[in-house]
Amino acid sequence: MSGRTRVTLFGMLATLLTSWSLAPLVESSGWLLQAAALLGVQAAVGAGGRRVPLARSLTVAAQLLVSLLLLAFLFAGKGESTGSGPLSFLVTDFGALFQQGVRDVGEFAIPAPLTDGIRLLLLAGVLAIGLLVDVLAVTLRTAAAAGLPLLALYSVAAGLSTGQGGSWFAFLLAGAGYLMLLLSEGRDRLAQWGRVFGGAPSSRVSAASGYGGGAGGGRAVAPVRFGRRIGVVALGVAVAVPAVLPSLGGGLLGGQADETGAPGRGGGTISAVNPLVSLQSSLNAQDNRVVLKYRTDSPQLGEQYLRILALDEFNGVKWEASGRPLTDVPERLPNPTGLGDRVREGATEVRTSVSAAETYAQRYLPMPYPATQIDIAGKWRYEPAGRTLVGDQLGKDRFQNVQGAQYTVRSLLLRPTAAQLQAAPAPNPLVREEYTKLPDNLPPVVAETARKVTQGAQDDYTRAVRLQDFFAVNGGFRYDTKVSSGTGSQAIARFLADKEGFCVHFAFSMAAMSRSLGIPARVAVGFTPGEKQADGSVNVSMRDAHAWPELYFEGVGWTRFEPTPRSGISLPDYSRPEAPAPQPSAPSALPSQSASAPAPMPSQAEACPPELKKLGECGVPAAQQNTGGGAGGFPLGAVLGWTGAALVALALLLLPLLWRRRVRERRLAGRDVLAAWRELGDSAWDVGIPPDEALSPRRAAGRVVVLGKLDGEPAQAVHRVAGAVERALYAPPGADVSYPELAADVRAAGAALLAAVGRRARLRALLFPRSGARATAAFSLRAAAVSSRLSSLTARVRVRLPLRGRG
């Protein structure tokens, strides 16, 4: 193995070992095998390009191109397909999957599920680092500088995975990989110096390599042996010192601070994050597992929704929670916004004791709305606008969550009447301004449909009821988890046209239409009441995850409406002023209390954005998102486009072979002896016998026979061709110097030359013929001739121009 090949292998190994530090970021480490395979192909392309040899820039370009093609084929059909052909995939589908990975990184807690988007980011990042390491260590021969991209990769991984365990081991692997890279590069450099300094006995060291390999046992001589020792000691010190010094505990190798040592936070805000980040560990399971159990003294179990968070901002792409200031949890929560005395007097305070499963690691506390008092252990913060409890920070990258918690919530069971809602005054101007904002890209059909459905209504309550009935009763909508209508502005218009969707589509659409009518609205996410057990307790499972709109009425506050025609969900009593609302004629069968049938997988990534993947409404665990390529699968046009692109790439690879064959056929088509002689010389050149123009044809033929290891008929064929060349050069004009077997002799000699070399040299001669330099030289000569001709024409024009300003 050559020194450069050894450095290539150790550079790839160093990148792979450093990539191990990314393993704690995701739940599965299977992507590391893919990364190893892709790095191997990338390194092989680089080694092949340097062996040809190609220019440095072309070698790097070939590695980059092959890496992109591998990623493209690996993730083909994983993103949403919006067009056909390779260009559409690279620009839209591949880019959309990359953006989805960026969103997943920001929305999932560590360890995150290995979604297609996150896997793309991991593999692309590792390949980019591997390419930089290969360029620096092998192409540019500066292995020490290759430590910079390796350090960047480890720093990012260590900074994100702090507290996930195994950081010292990841650092040890990364350091060992870098040390082996340096040693391999040092060995290669040492082999180029000649004899090793230090006067080692010749019996114990090779003068060429600097390493032992003789009869003396093959031990490394002093420079290499001491270099290894220094590297191992330095690596050990780097691992041990942070563990001994407490002041370094917060660094890249530091552990998590415990609860008592965590810095206190008196203020802080909650940013616009996914409301169900911590549901991932529960929703990733295939079974309909129970995540919450509770007991309540509420007389109306059907109203016992467990609310997690309110999504109050619609940016045209999705609904999300806006940034809100956090405060300490008060002993008793303040009165809900907008709740008047008349409705408050008719309310009943109920008590609910909740027990969360150990697998339910949610940072937001599920509880009935509106809660008035919470009794729970741990560190929690309170967000007043949404009346939400969110886990506080316990240490670096550690937050309080509801996992395994037992808590008691006192809440109000509000019983507003239709008359009270209908007589509600205009909402507070500040509330109306904030909760009626709509994006500029909302299609006009949304507001037009809202006005059409509510035509003739005299108050906001009647408009809200008509919107609810439009979706749940008389609008012809069907509850179906298989649809892929999405949740953005355009998706709402598609949903109104297709009239198929699940709870999030109904909730988002009704909230957007309510805002278009000037009614303050937001979307709440949480759980439906669940299923009551024989012992009086209630089980809440993953399939009870739900979304519903909340509309604001002055004097009542935020009021739940139910536009989703889902089995097991009934309309609120206060939303039936005109006539009893029958259940939909053919509701889709996805019972909230049953786990008998697994939910189907969405057909597009847009059909299940990040807010829905953890809601359980997508019918597939979050870790399996983005596994389809669109409603109709990977489109035929894209398949044909990729096939065409592969054929073009193959044609480019085979272009030298095709060019060489065409030249051979043209030269041997006639009986031109000199053309046949040039073909024979190029055939010898392709297998490593460069032409020597100073030799006579007879001596040149003898040289080809000796260096090409020819004997028998192939050798005689070479000499026959050389004899014909001599006759062509020295025979009188008009003499017939050719013979019928000329082309056959040249072909036989060329085949024998190929057969005499090894497989690698044979492939090199076929795919990358050395005689191709003639084409490059011919092109250069033609380019020089064209340039000279253009220069002469320019000079003539310049001379013909009149000379002005001369006396």
Side-chain angles (χ1 to χ4, degrees):
M1 181 185 299
S2 66
R4 178 167 287 190
T5 303
R6 186 182 297 107
V7 176
T8 301
L9 292 177
F10 279 103
M12 182 188 70
L13 182 61
T15 304
L16 190 60
L17 291 178
T18 307
S19 302
W20 178 264
S21 59
L22 297 170
L25 301 181
V26 291
E27 293 178 346
S28 173
S29 300
W31 65 273
L32 285 171
L33 296 178
Q34 293 180 328
L38 295 178
L39 283 173
V41 175
Q42 185 185 77
V45 172
R50 286 184 287 267
R51 193 173 182 85
V52 167
L54 294 177
R56 291 179 176 181
S57 58
L58 292 180
T59 301
V60 176
Q63 290 178 281
L64 181 60
L65 177 61
V66 171
S67 300
L68 291 175
L69 289 177
L70 288 175
L71 288 176
F73 280 108
L74 184 61
F75 290 93
K78 300 294 184 181
E80 177 189 359
S81 181
T82 57
S84 61
L87 183 61
S88 173
F89 176 77
L90 290 175
V91 174
T92 59
D93 302 352
F94 200 69
L97 188 59
F98 193 89
Q99 293 177 359
Q100 181 62 47
V102 174
R103 289 194 295 269
D104 289 344
V105 168
E107 293 171 348
F108 283 109
I110 296 175
L114 187 60
T115 65
D116 289 324
I118 293 179
R119 186 159 58 97
L120 172 60
L121 292 182
L122 291 173
L123 294 179
V126 171
L127 283 178
I129 296 298
L131 181 58
L132 287 176
V133 170
D134 188 84
V135 170
L136 293 173
V138 188
T139 303
L140 301 180
R141 305 184 68 82
T142 55
L148 294 177
L150 294 175
L151 178 62
L153 178 62
Y154 173 78
S155 300
V156 171
L160 293 175
S161 61
T162 301
Q164 301 301 317
S167 58
W168 68 269
F169 182 68
F171 176 78
L172 186 64
L173 288 179
Y178 181 52
L179 179 61
M180 288 187 292
L181 175 61
L182 290 179
L183 290 175
S184 64
E185 196 246 4
R187 177 176 179 176
D188 183 43
R189 288 182 180 274
L190 193 63
Q192 299 176 17
W193 291 350
R195 184 173 298 276
V196 178
F197 297 110
S202 59
S203 62
R204 298 180 56 189
V205 64
S206 169
S209 66
Y211 285 84
R219 296 177 56 192
V221 294
V224 179
R225 186 168 64 249
F226 287 134
R228 290 174 178 172
R229 292 176 180 176
I230 292 173
V232 172
V233 171
L235 187 60
V237 171
V239 173
V241 169
V244 176
L245 300 179
S247 60
L248 298 182
L252 294 180
L253 300 179
Q256 293 276 7
D258 58 17
E259 294 187 19
T260 58
R265 290 176 177 262
T269 61
I270 175 173
S271 60
V273 298
N274 191 303
L276 298 177
V277 166
S278 299
L279 271 175
Q280 59 180 7
S281 58
S282 298
L283 294 180
N284 284 342
Q286 294 290 339
D287 58 337
N288 188 27
R289 67 183 63 181
V290 174
V291 293
L292 296 170
K293 291 186 178 183
Y294 69 87
R295 292 178 179 272
T296 182
D297 57 5
S298 173
Q300 291 181 279
L301 185 60
E303 297 296 325
Q304 194 74 4
Y305 279 56
L306 298 181
R307 185 173 173 275
I308 295 177
L309 189 65
L311 310 179
D312 53 9
E313 185 174 301
F314 184 34
N315 57 17
V317 178
K318 60 182 179 179
W319 288 79
E320 59 186 359
S322 58
R324 299 287 184 180
L326 299 177
T327 65
D328 293 332
V329 181
E331 181 177 353
R332 188 169 181 85
L333 273 58
N335 288 332
T337 303
L339 181 60
D341 293 337
R342 292 184 58 187
V343 179
R344 178 67 175 82
E345 292 171 358
T348 302
E349 189 171 75
V350 299
R351 183 178 183 272
T352 305
S353 298
V354 186
S355 176
E358 291 291 342
T359 57
Y360 181 47
Q362 171 61 254
R363 189 181 168 193
Y364 298 90
L365 189 68
M367 54 187 181
Y369 182 86
T372 57
Q373 188 174 6
I374 300 99
D375 182 13
I376 185 173
K379 299 180 65 176
W380 296 87
R381 306 285 290 167
Y382 176 63
E383 192 272 287
R387 301 182 70 84
T388 302
L389 255 66
V390 59
D392 199 4
Q393 188 166 7
L394 302 178
K396 189 172 182 179
D397 297 329
R398 293 178 57 225
F399 295 89
Q400 179 71 55
N401 61 45
V402 75
Q403 185 176 11
Q406 296 184 357
Y407 56 99
T408 301
V409 181
R410 292 186 178 274
S411 59
L412 295 177
L413 177 60
L414 301 177
R415 299 186 179 90
T417 64
Q420 291 173 332
L421 290 168
Q422 193 169 12
N428 185 298
L430 296 179
V431 174
R432 179 191 292 272
E433 179 182 2
E434 180 176 2
Y435 293 98
T436 57
K437 293 180 180 178
L438 288 171
D440 296 335
N441 64 344
L442 188 68
V445 68
V446 178
E448 293 173 0
T449 304
R451 289 193 298 269
K452 181 178 179 181
V453 171
T454 60
Q455 186 177 6
Q458 302 298 320
D459 54 83
D460 288 345
Y461 166 72
T462 304
R463 298 185 184 96
V465 171
R466 290 189 180 181
L467 287 178
Q468 174 185 265
D469 293 346
F470 171 67
F471 289 110
V473 180
N474 52 34
F477 287 85
R478 188 171 68 91
Y479 186 89
D480 187 359
T481 59
K482 296 182 180 180
V483 300
S484 56
S485 56
T487 57
S489 295
Q490 298 296 329
I492 294 178
R494 291 198 301 269
F495 171 66
L496 293 176
D498 299 340
K499 296 190 174 183
E500 291 181 339
F502 44 97
C503 72
V504 177
H505 302 125
F506 288 94
F508 287 0
S509 299
M510 180 173 174
M513 294 172 71
S514 298
R515 287 192 173 191
S516 71
L517 297 174
I519 307 174
R522 63 188 185 187
V523 177
V525 290
F527 297 96
T528 54
E531 184 177 18
K532 191 170 184 178
Q533 306 299 305
D535 60 356
S537 64
V538 181
N539 288 353
V540 178
S541 63
M542 292 187 297
R543 297 245 180 102
D544 292 316
H546 190 47
W548 61 91
E550 291 181 343
L551 276 59
Y552 182 84
F553 294 91
E554 196 68 39
V556 181
W558 291 102
T559 306
R560 176 180 65 88
F561 284 80
E562 194 56 79
T564 305
R566 174 174 164 179
S567 177
I569 296 179
S570 59
L571 304 181
D573 292 337
Y574 52 78
S575 65
R576 309 185 189 192
E578 299 175 354
Q583 291 300 316
S585 57
S588 175
L590 183 62
S592 60
Q593 294 88 8
S594 172
S596 58
M601 182 179 297
S603 59
Q604 289 188 12
E606 183 189 3
C608 196
E611 285 76 14
L612 316 187
K613 294 169 186 172
K614 278 71 74 177
L615 273 171
E617 295 292 347
C618 302
V620 68
Q624 298 178 1
Q625 62 182 325
N626 289 335
T627 57
F634 196 47
L636 178 61
V639 173
L640 295 178
W642 276 109
T643 303
L647 293 177
V648 171
L650 182 61
L652 292 176
L653 181 64
L654 297 179
L655 186 60
L657 173 64
L658 299 176
W659 169 83
R660 187 70 182 84
R661 178 174 297 178
R662 181 176 179 274
V663 171
R664 182 183 301 112
E665 296 299 331
R666 188 177 69 248
R667 286 173 173 174
L668 301 181
R671 299 181 61 185
D672 188 349
V673 174
L674 296 181
W677 177 249
R678 284 194 298 271
E679 174 57 32
L680 180 59
D682 285 352
S683 298
W685 190 7
D686 291 340
V687 296
I689 305 175
D692 189 348
E693 304 294 343
L695 299 178
S696 65
R698 185 171 301 180
R699 293 191 61 184
R703 178 171 176 266
V704 170
V705 169
V706 173
L707 296 180
K709 301 176 182 180
L710 302 181
D711 54 10
E713 180 60 27
Q716 296 176 10
V718 173
H719 287 297
R720 284 196 295 269
V721 176
V725 174
E726 289 181 338
R727 292 193 298 271
L729 293 176
Y730 306 114
D736 188 7
V737 297
S738 183
Y739 60 98
E741 294 81 11
L742 176 64
D745 284 346
V746 173
R747 295 182 188 276
L753 289 171
L754 285 175
V757 298
R759 179 181 301 177
R760 181 180 300 178
R762 193 180 308 123
L763 289 176
R764 162 72 185 270
L766 292 174
L767 297 179
F768 303 102
R770 293 177 175 88
S771 59
R774 294 191 188 276
T776 304
F779 177 79
S780 300
L781 291 175
R782 291 177 183 176
V786 171
S787 177
S788 177
R789 187 172 182 179
L790 289 176
S791 299
S792 62
L793 289 177
T794 304
R796 292 178 183 176
V797 172
R798 189 176 302 157
V799 169
R800 292 175 182 176
L801 291 176
L803 300 178
R804 300 180 182 273
R806 299 184 60 179

